[in-house]
Amino acid sequence: MSAIKTITKASHLIDMNDIIREGHPTLRAVAQDVTFPLSEDDIILGEKMLQFLKNSQDPVTAEKMELRGGVGLAAPQLDISKRIIAVLIPNPEDKDGNPPKEAYALKEVMYNPRIIAHSIQDAALADGEGCLSVDRVVEGYVIRHSRVTIEYYDKNSDKKKLKLKGYQSIVVQHEIDHTNGIMFFDRINEKNPFEIKEGLLLIE
């Protein structure tokens, strides 16, 4: 049975066994655009990807299902070579430990997402990046654009445009990279992984 048929079955919850790891050829392929109106499978796939991220961020569910926490997932990571990504970025608690008014800073399934504009300034996460498809720690600054404007379609086939900066911008760029066959460690300077070029914004 194909990966999409397995994953879109009503009873199926995405877990770590569905996620392919580095070395798998699908992670290096350029994914196909989805066509509109979206197929039922593509809509269900997007919803299941978002549900996986929710489950992975819930301590009880994550422990029960043995999930690694994630804020983004791309269809190619499920061995489905389509331009579909899901992002679920929680808002932090305030300084007193109170929950945020809005649970999520960004919660979206994006079909055919692409970067249409970006800043000249580069940015990287101070603690580096990880990936659900990479089971090892890869140290170094992953150099990305500090700000991006992206265009994508939602599950209703409506075209959307979004300006992102900081952490949200980094997460979405990481997932869009997956649809282009690019892994996060491709963006680390091999000779000098922690090189800070002039103007680089380090995001804590």
Side-chain angles (χ1 to χ4, degrees), residues 50-68:
L50 207 52
Q51 186 60 52
F52 166 84
L53 295 174
K54 268 190 189 158
N55 290 341
S56 82
Q57 291 173 20
D58 179 292
V60 176
T61 310
E63 186 177 7
K64 192 168 98 182
M65 293 180 66
E66 297 182 347
L67 305 179
R68 275 174 61 193

Side-chain angles (χ1 to χ4, degrees), residues 10 39 160 162 186:
S39 69
K160 304 272 188 177
L162 203 53
D186 298 346

Side-chain angles (χ1 to χ4, degrees), residues 138-141 143 185-195:
V138 186
E139 294 193 331
Y141 295 138
I143 307 300
F185 47 74
D186 298 346
R187 298 190 180 278
I188 297 174
N189 180 333
E190 267 185 51
K191 291 191 175 132
N192 187 356
F194 291 100
E195 181 184 23

Side-chain angles (χ1 to χ4, degrees), residues 188-204:
I188 297 174
N189 180 333
E190 267 185 51
K191 291 191 175 132
N192 187 356
F194 291 100
E195 181 184 23
I196 298 181
K197 286 197 170 160
E198 193 181 344
L200 179 70
L201 174 68
L202 278 184
I203 299 167
E204 293 297 336

Side-chain angles (χ1 to χ4, degrees), residues 11 17 30-31 63 69 76 78 83 86 92 98-99 102 113 115 130 134 138 141 150 163 167 183 188 198:
S11 59
N17 294 322
V30 176
E63 186 177 7
L78 300 167
R83 288 185 178 274
N98 299 312
E102 293 283 331
I115 295 166
V134 179
V138 186
Y141 295 138
I150 57 163
K163 290 187 172 179
Y167 184 65
M183 301 294 283
I188 297 174
E198 193 181 344

Side-chain angles (χ1 to χ4, degrees), residues 7-21:
I7 286 167
T8 55
K9 279 194 333 202
S11 59
H12 190 84
L13 286 174
I14 295 174
D15 63 22
M16 297 306 295
N17 294 322
D18 294 306
I19 294 173
I20 57 175
R21 304 305 207 272

Side-chain angles (χ1 to χ4, degrees), residues 46-146:
E47 287 170 352
K48 296 246 183 177
M49 288 164 66
L50 207 52
Q51 186 60 52
F52 166 84
L53 295 174
K54 268 190 189 158
N55 290 341
S56 82
Q57 291 173 20
D58 179 292
V60 176
T61 310
E63 186 177 7
K64 192 168 98 182
M65 293 180 66
E66 297 182 347
L67 305 179
R68 275 174 61 193
V71 288
L73 184 66
Q77 292 178 274
L78 300 167
D79 200 15
I80 299 166
S81 199
K82 292 186 172 197
R83 288 185 178 274
I84 305 171
I85 68 170
V87 284
L88 188 68
I89 302 175
N91 273 316
E93 296 174 336
D94 70 15
K95 60 182 189 299
D96 300 321
N98 299 312
K101 286 191 179 73
E102 293 283 331
Y104 299 106
L106 186 59
K107 175 188 177 185
E108 191 66 271
V109 178
M110 303 179 183
Y111 296 90
N112 295 352
R114 63 193 185 100
I115 295 166
I116 57 167
H118 63 79
S119 60
I120 294 168
Q121 185 182 36
D122 287 334
L125 297 183
D127 293 336
E129 291 183 25
C131 178
L132 295 167
S133 292
V134 179
D135 292 331
R136 61 195 172 102
V137 175
V138 186
E139 294 193 331
Y141 295 138
V142 182
I143 307 300
R144 301 192 181 278
H145 309 302
S146 71

